[in-house]
Amino acid sequence: MRFPEATNDVTADLASFEIGVEAVEMQHHAPIPRDFATVYTQNMSEDDGSRFATELELLQAMYPEQVTYDTKSRELKFSSDGALLELRIPEDYPEKGFPDVLAVRDAQKNDLREHMRTAIRNLQLVGGEEALDAIVASFQELLDVHAAASSQTGAGAAAQSATSMKPAPSKTVIIWLHHLLALSKRKLALSPTDMAGVTKPGYPGIMIFSGPAPAVTEHVNTLKAENWQAFQVRYEEAELWEFEHGSGIKEMETMSEVVKGLQSEKRRDEFLKAAGIK
């Protein structure tokens, strides 16, 4: 937005100013106090800083209590609900140069300086024209975009967290072996700590594993990769079995101990059928 240049005709200058004010009011949907005409006509008579002074006064009227300016440091601050835009105004602005971005952060204290610099470049500002109004509007738009992106990220993280909190599906398998004698294989069968089950060495060998489906599947595949005379998965269901000894995998000496180690009569029947005993 460029304010009209001063002429020797105060009446004409004031009329031009009114047209500019009306344009700003239409853009921001808010009235600007008409007593700024007095400030404007006073500033028009000053040789240095008159245009910036007028722009600053108008900006403060558009955003009451949000705009502050330090004449010594030439730093302008615009605040909005905890967010902050801080600029340094060049000595010859707006005739030469543009405001420098010193600090930009949202209400959560995220550093948005690079985003703001990119937004200002995208404005394609014209040298010699007032730019503060456009920069502030761009800052407000940046806050809206960043807040929307953060909200979507938060929703996605919450959904992912909720998904990760769901327990993994359970799985129980019963494996029949021609024999289970090698000490290395027996130790391998007992090694997992994230599932429960029982094993029986000798002829035939028996393995029962119950726990999170991914863990059970991985353990079965690891065992299957060993060299076996016969390795048969005779039972595989998406359910969780409980054992008398509780958690972990326990080695039993006999088939009778395996049956007694199962907590329910239903599970005992299912095991006996899978093992070919019933």
Side-chain angles (χ1 to χ4, degrees):
M1 177 182 65
R2 182 181 177 88
F3 291 92
E5 296 289 344
T7 69
N8 293 325
D9 188 341
V10 174
T11 302
D13 288 338
L14 184 57
S16 299
F17 175 77
E18 287 289 343
I19 294 173
V21 168
E22 289 175 2
V24 172
E25 289 177 332
M26 292 179 62
Q27 178 181 355
H28 293 274
H29 308 288
I32 302 299
R34 286 308 191 273
D35 56 3
F36 278 93
T38 303
V39 175
Y40 177 74
T41 54
Q42 289 175 350
N43 285 334
M44 285 192 302
S45 64
E46 300 175 4
D47 294 332
D48 298 324
S50 61
R51 288 174 56 191
F52 170 62
T54 302
E55 183 182 19
L56 178 61
E57 293 282 359
L58 187 56
L59 196 67
Q60 289 173 330
M62 292 163 54
Y63 304 101
E65 300 182 0
Q66 292 181 263
V67 179
T68 60
Y69 178 68
D70 187 313
T71 56
K72 184 176 181 180
S73 65
R74 299 191 64 81
E75 292 180 3
L76 183 145
K77 295 181 181 180
F78 174 82
S79 59
S80 176
D81 297 327
L84 175 69
L85 169 66
E86 186 173 352
L87 307 170
R88 177 172 287 120
I89 308 302
E91 290 285 348
D92 297 328
Y93 172 84
E95 286 78 8
K96 296 179 182 179
F98 297 109
D100 296 321
V101 175
L102 300 181
V104 186
R105 60 175 181 267
D106 61 10
Q108 288 71 43
K109 309 302 180 184
N110 294 308
D111 188 348
L112 303 180
R113 283 177 295 181
E114 290 305 317
H115 296 281
M116 190 67 225
R117 291 184 179 115
T118 299
I120 291 175
R121 286 195 295 270
N122 292 338
L123 290 175
Q124 297 182 344
L125 300 173
V126 177
E129 295 189 2
E130 286 78 358
L132 290 178
D133 180 35
I135 292 174
V136 169
S138 182
F139 171 61
Q140 293 175 310
E141 182 178 352
L142 174 63
L143 292 178
D144 291 339
V145 172
H146 191 72
S150 298
S151 177
Q152 292 177 357
T153 301
Q160 183 177 1
S161 177
T163 301
S164 63
M165 290 176 64
K166 293 181 179 179
S170 299
K171 183 177 184 179
T172 297
V173 298
I174 299 175
I175 301 170
W176 182 91
L177 307 165
H178 178 269
H179 64 268
L180 177 58
L181 298 175
L183 187 59
S184 60
K185 293 180 179 178
R186 290 164 62 183
K187 288 183 176 180
L188 179 61
L190 298 172
S191 62
T193 58
D194 53 355
M195 66 186 73
V198 295
T199 64
K200 185 197 80 66
Y203 294 87
I206 294 293
M207 298 178 181
I208 305 176
F209 305 117
S210 185
V216 172
T217 299
E218 181 179 1
H219 188 45
V220 171
N221 290 337
T222 299
L223 289 167
K224 191 182 295 185
E226 297 291 315
N227 185 26
W228 302 94
Q229 187 168 338
F231 185 103
Q232 299 176 5
V233 178
R234 292 192 174 183
Y235 182 95
E236 185 173 6
E237 294 293 338
E239 55 192 18
L240 187 66
W241 284 24
E242 295 182 347
F243 302 86
E244 291 292 339
H245 68 273
S247 60
I249 303 171
K250 184 177 181 180
E251 186 175 86
M252 305 294 191
E253 293 297 326
T254 66
M255 196 72 76
S256 175
E257 289 181 0
V258 172
V259 175
K260 290 179 181 179
L262 303 175
Q263 281 199 342
S264 71
E265 191 64 33
K266 178 184 178 182
R267 301 306 188 200
R268 296 185 185 111
D269 288 340
E270 290 173 334
F271 166 70
L272 292 172
K273 289 177 182 178
I277 299 174
K278 188 175 181 180

